[in-house]
Amino acid sequence: MKRLVLAALGVLLVAAPLGAHAAGAPAKLLNVSYDPTREFYAAYNKAFASYWQRKTGQTVTIDQSHGGSGAQARAVIDGLDADVVTLALAYDIDAIAQKAKLLPLDWQKQFPDNSTPYTSTIVFVVRKGNPKHIRDWGDLVKPGVSLVTPNPKTGGGARWNFLAAWGWALKRNHNDEAKARAFVSALYKNVAVLDTGARGATISFAERQIGDVLIAWENEGFFLQRTSPKDGYEIVVPSVSILAEPSVAVVDVNARKHGTTALAHEYLQYLYSPDAQKLECSFGYRPRLTSVLGRCGTHFERTDLVSIATFGGWQAANARFFADGGIYDQISVK
């Protein structure tokens, strides 16, 4: 678990080690990403660099930057010189397009599936033996159940967490908004720690041993099981969760300035290739290619997934729930 702590110390910049010098001038990209993608992109960058060198003879280095998705978007707006962004939700890339005008407003047309090469969902990670007998969202509001989740004001995954809980409560209570609000308010009263991002929440739960339940990306649950097998962490998939669709985009203005536009497009397009989809699956992300999904070796449990469209899309959801004075601010007691 030591590497978890190292990975969470501020914004992480990592250069993927590549092979021998290739013909042509070497190139460099900066991928500004969200919190729990560190390990995946470290592996992906090596795979892409090898592919690109075979294809073009050019050596490419990809630097990574990680943090809460909302904080990463603000960093790009404030001048972090990203060639590409691979963030937790479309709203954060919309903010870059609208506030900094670094890419077009219709950026989701750049790549297939609205520029979301893989999906995930929200699950519960519990300690060995599931001592609090957590089975579904309703168990999270019981007395004596301590929760860890990121802060929706700073982390994209945290917003997926919030909306997944709200979606379950709506379905449970026949679309009664008042009951959904009361449930989510009770849930956040049981939160022991609100970290700024998903990986920070994982560290609080695993390293600092805070809480009974970590509300997390599904791939982050697999990460804990993979890196700490002796701790016996268990993943509980709730009856209703959300279709989480992390988004990718070329930051056009920066890429043109760096002369990396074609390379940046190819870097993100390669995420849809069968080889990359297999790699995504091995890190616990749900690949878009059904031919890969059915043979990747990772067990993804089926559950009822609500979509962001349930909330009117990200612009409407953010304005209602997460903007200053929104529902989250109204119910938050932290």
Side-chain angles (χ1 to χ4, degrees):
M1 297 302 296
K2 182 178 179 181
R3 59 179 169 173
L4 281 180
V5 174
L6 295 176
L9 295 177
V11 173
L12 179 69
L13 285 173
V14 180
L18 305 178
H21 178 75
K28 179 177 284 191
L29 292 177
L30 173 58
N31 174 10
V32 174
S33 195
Y34 62 107
D35 231 2
T37 59
R38 307 160 195 265
E39 294 77 18
F40 164 66
Y41 276 113
Y44 175 75
N45 291 345
K46 293 178 184 178
F48 174 78
S50 177
Y51 157 79
W52 187 251
Q53 193 169 45
R54 292 194 307 271
K55 179 178 179 178
T56 68
Q58 184 182 40
T59 298
V60 59
T61 299
I62 304 102
D63 291 337
Q64 302 169 222
S65 170
H66 296 272
S69 187
Q72 291 290 80
R74 287 190 293 275
V76 174
I77 292 168
D78 291 340
L80 183 58
D81 217 12
D83 297 279
V84 300
V85 286
T86 56
L87 297 177
L89 44 91
Y91 178 81
D92 290 330
I93 302 180
D94 284 339
I96 298 170
Q98 293 164 2
K99 295 179 180 179
K101 304 188 188 317
L102 294 176
L103 65 161
L105 295 176
D106 63 350
W107 60 269
Q108 285 186 296
K109 295 180 180 179
Q110 286 183 334
F111 300 100
D113 299 308
N114 291 320
S115 293
T116 58
Y118 56 82
T119 69
S120 190
T121 191
I122 302 305
V123 301
F124 313 142
V125 182
V126 299
R127 303 192 186 281
K128 186 176 183 179
N130 193 4
K132 294 296 177 109
H133 308 291
I134 303 300
R135 296 287 179 263
D136 212 342
W137 288 101
D139 297 321
L140 303 189
V141 300
K142 292 179 179 178
V145 175
S146 177
L147 311 176
V148 177
T149 182
N151 189 333
K153 303 294 280 191
T154 55
R159 298 187 182 194
W160 290 117
N161 293 357
F162 183 103
L163 294 178
W166 192 279
W168 175 86
L170 280 181
K171 290 205 170 192
R172 176 84 172 184
N173 296 290
H174 308 289
N175 292 318
D176 188 317
E177 294 278 349
K179 289 183 178 178
R181 183 187 181 109
F183 169 75
V184 175
S185 179
L187 185 149
Y188 277 89
K189 288 179 181 178
N190 274 2
V191 173
V193 173
L194 280 170
D195 283 286
T196 58
R199 183 53 60 84
T202 299
I203 290 169
S204 290
F205 181 73
E207 282 284 333
R208 299 170 62 196
Q209 291 292 300
I210 296 174
D212 305 301
V213 183
L214 172 66
I215 307 175
W217 294 97
E218 180 180 49
N219 54 276
E220 195 74 346
F222 288 133
F223 169 76
L224 265 181
Q225 289 184 325
R226 184 173 66 251
T227 56
S228 304
K230 293 182 180 179
D231 291 327
Y233 294 112
E234 299 178 21
I235 296 173
V236 176
V237 179
S239 62
V240 174
S241 193
I242 196 162
L243 177 63
E245 297 179 295
S247 300
V248 304
V250 175
V251 185
D252 291 316
V253 171
N254 292 347
R256 285 198 299 271
K257 179 176 65 176
H258 302 153
T260 58
T261 299
L263 174 61
H265 275 271
E266 188 88 13
Y267 175 76
L268 295 182
Q269 186 65 52
Y270 191 67
L271 286 165
Y272 294 86
S273 69
D275 285 345
Q277 293 270 296
K278 292 174 185 176
L279 189 63
E280 291 153 19
C281 190
S282 72
F283 280 88
Y285 302 92
R286 299 187 179 208
R288 287 291 191 180
L289 290 178
T290 55
S291 59
V292 173
L293 180 62
R295 299 165 54 188
C296 69
T298 301
H299 177 63
F300 298 108
E301 289 194 30
R302 293 190 177 186
T303 188
D304 185 5
L305 298 177
V306 300
S307 76
I308 190 60
T310 303
F311 305 95
W314 268 114
Q315 294 295 326
N318 188 75
R320 182 183 181 202
F321 293 104
F322 309 119
D324 290 345
I327 289 177
Y328 174 74
D329 282 351
Q330 296 166 25
I331 68 172
S332 177
V333 295
K334 300 295 180 184

